[in-house]
Amino acid sequence: RQGDVAGAAALYRQVIARDRRHAGALHNLGLIELAAGQPAVALGHIAAAVRIDPRQPAWHSPHGLALFHTGD
């Protein structure tokens, strides 16, 4: 369902529970957390995604944004 952010976050958490190295789910969950004003939580997920697959250029900008908002 379009606009079901909480539902999407729950699904990403389920995927991560099954595969802690699922970079796409980590990144997307981090984006949801960043948009929800939780940059510290988001940073953990986005940074993990970047470590797993650093060749995804679109993931580096949200990583930098999360770092900025946490003061790191």
Side-chain angles (χ1 to χ4, degrees):
R1 289 173 284 180
Q2 189 173 8
D4 184 8
V5 177
L11 288 174
Y12 290 133
R13 285 187 183 94
Q14 287 178 5
V15 170
I16 294 164
R18 291 183 182 156
D19 180 1
R20 294 186 148 292
R21 294 188 49 82
H22 194 291
L26 287 162
H27 178 258
N28 289 339
L29 180 57
L31 290 179
I32 290 171
E33 294 161 342
L34 193 57
Q38 300 174 314
V41 178
L43 179 59
H45 290 122
I46 296 170
V50 169
R51 280 192 304 274
I52 292 165
D53 191 358
R55 296 168 295 164
Q56 296 294 330
W59 295 359
H60 291 275
S61 178
H63 184 221
L65 194 59
L67 284 168
F68 175 78
H69 285 293
T70 58
D72 286 346

